[in-house]
Amino acid sequence: MIAWLHSFQPHAIALSLGPLNLYWYGIFVVSGMAAALLFSLKMARLRGLRPEIVFDTAFWLIIAGLIGARIYDILLQLPYYLNNPWHALMIWKGGLAIHGGILAGLLALWFSGKKSGFGFFKLAALFTPGLALGQAIGRWGNYFNQEIFGWPTSLPWGIPISLTERPLGYLSAQYFHPTFLYESLGCLIIFFVLWLVSWKKNETKSGRRGDIFIVCLYLILYSLLRFSLEFIRLDPAPDFLGLRWPQIMSLILGLIGIAGIIISQKHAKTPAL
C-alpha cells in the first residue's frame, strides 16, 4: 500500500462515455453514503426500529448534508466563487466541506426527530457511527482529485501531486503528506470506537444519556482529529486568531461535545457508560 501511494499518479475521471465523465470523487462519496446507510440499518435492527425510519431520515440527511457542505465551502472561498460563479455547481470536482455537512445534518436530524417522535439524540446516535464510516470512505475521493494534501515530506508514504495542483512555492517538491489518508484512517478508528460504544449502550440499556454520549463523543473525536490535521494541510482556508477556520469550527464543535457529556452526566441518575 505504501509503495502504491508513493508511485501512483491518480486521475479524477474513472470512466468516460462520450461527453459524460464518471468521477472517482462521486464514486467514493456515494459509496460512503451507502456504507453509512447500511450500517445505520444494522443499528436500527439491533434497536428494534423500523427500516422505514432510517430510509426517511437518511433521505433528508443526504440532501441537507450535500447542500450544507457545498454552501459552507462556498462561503469559505467566497471571493473565488464570486469570480467563478459556475464553479459553484461543479460538485464532482470537490468542494464539500464536512463541517457544513455536519451542521446541516444536525438540523435535518432535529426536524426529523420532531416529525417522527423519536427525538433528536435517538436518531443522531443511530446515524453517527455510520457518518464516521462514510467519511473514512469519502476522503479517498479527495485523493483522486489531488486535493487535501499536506506539507512536502520525504516519508515513504508521501504522495506525488501534479504540478498543476500544487500551491505556488511548492513547485519543486516531489512528495506531500497524504492528509486525506490520515483523516480516513482516523475516521475509521472513530467509527470502530463509536460502534463499540453503541454496542455497549444496547447492552447496558442506558437510553437517552447513552445516545447523547455517542453523539458528543463523535464531535470530540472528529474535532480533535481535524484540528490536528489542519496544521499540515496546504489548501487555502480563512484564518482567525492564528488558526485556520476549520480549526475554529473544530474547537466549537469539540467544546459542544464536552459540554454535552458533562451536562448529561451531571443530571444522570445511573452510572456513566
Side-chain angles (χ1 to χ4, degrees):
M1 171 106 177
I2 291 178
W4 176 75
L5 282 172
H6 201 59
S7 59
F8 182 72
Q9 190 73 39
H11 298 282
I13 299 175
L15 179 66
S16 293
L17 298 173
L20 300 178
N21 294 321
L22 180 63
Y23 287 83
W24 282 111
Y25 185 85
I27 291 174
F28 280 105
V29 168
V30 172
S31 298
M33 291 178 180
L37 176 59
L38 290 174
F39 184 80
S40 298
L41 284 169
K42 176 182 176 65
M43 296 302 298
R45 286 195 295 269
L46 290 176
R47 296 188 179 195
L49 299 177
R50 302 190 312 274
E52 298 82 32
I53 297 169
V54 176
F55 284 113
D56 290 346
T57 304
F59 174 78
W60 294 111
L61 269 177
I62 290 172
I63 292 177
L66 288 174
I67 293 175
R70 190 56 172 165
I71 291 176
Y72 189 91
D73 184 74
I74 290 172
L75 292 175
L76 287 179
Q77 305 181 65
L78 191 57
Y80 170 81
Y81 285 109
L82 288 176
N83 292 325
N84 305 275
W86 287 109
H87 288 193
L89 302 177
M90 299 179 181
I91 60 173
W92 57 88
K93 291 189 175 182
L96 296 176
I98 186 60
H99 283 134
I102 291 174
L103 293 174
L106 291 174
L107 186 61
L109 284 169
W110 184 78
F111 279 109
S112 184
K114 287 184 67 69
K115 181 180 177 181
S116 65
F118 282 92
F120 167 77
F121 283 108
K122 189 171 186 177
L123 286 180
L126 181 67
F127 283 93
T128 297
L131 170 61
L133 177 61
Q135 288 177 256
I137 297 171
R139 273 303 179 202
W140 281 86
N142 299 123
Y143 171 61
F144 284 91
N145 271 359
Q146 295 210 321
E147 56 189 6
I148 317 299
F149 53 88
W151 295 99
T153 180
S154 58
L155 292 170
W157 54 82
I159 56 174
I161 300 294
S162 63
L163 282 172
T164 57
E165 302 300 330
R166 300 179 196 175
L168 293 176
Y170 298 94
L171 299 182
S172 61
Q174 190 172 4
Y175 298 102
F176 296 80
H177 277 286
T179 48
F180 86 92
L181 178 62
Y182 302 158
E183 185 166 339
S184 177
L185 293 175
C187 285
L188 193 60
I189 293 172
I190 293 172
F191 162 68
F192 282 114
V193 170
L194 296 177
W195 189 1
L196 177 62
V197 173
S198 297
W199 173 81
K200 188 174 182 181
K201 174 191 177 301
N202 289 335
E203 291 291 314
T204 59
K205 303 184 184 302
S206 55
R208 186 171 184 269
R209 186 166 58 90
D211 292 332
I212 294 173
F213 184 84
I214 292 169
V215 176
C216 292
L217 183 61
Y218 166 80
L219 292 177
I220 294 169
L221 294 179
Y222 180 68
S223 295
L224 180 61
L225 173 66
R226 184 62 183 271
F227 184 88
S228 302
L229 291 178
E230 285 295 322
F231 283 112
I232 63 171
R233 280 176 55 159
L234 285 178
D235 52 302
D239 60 84
F240 181 69
L241 297 177
L243 295 174
R244 288 162 59 90
W245 182 251
Q247 290 179 306
I248 300 296
M249 185 56 65
S250 295
L251 283 175
I252 294 172
L253 293 178
L255 290 173
I256 290 174
I258 293 172
I261 291 178
I262 292 174
I263 293 172
S264 66
Q265 295 294 330
K266 184 178 179 180
H267 292 88
K269 295 181 180 180
T270 56
L273 281 174

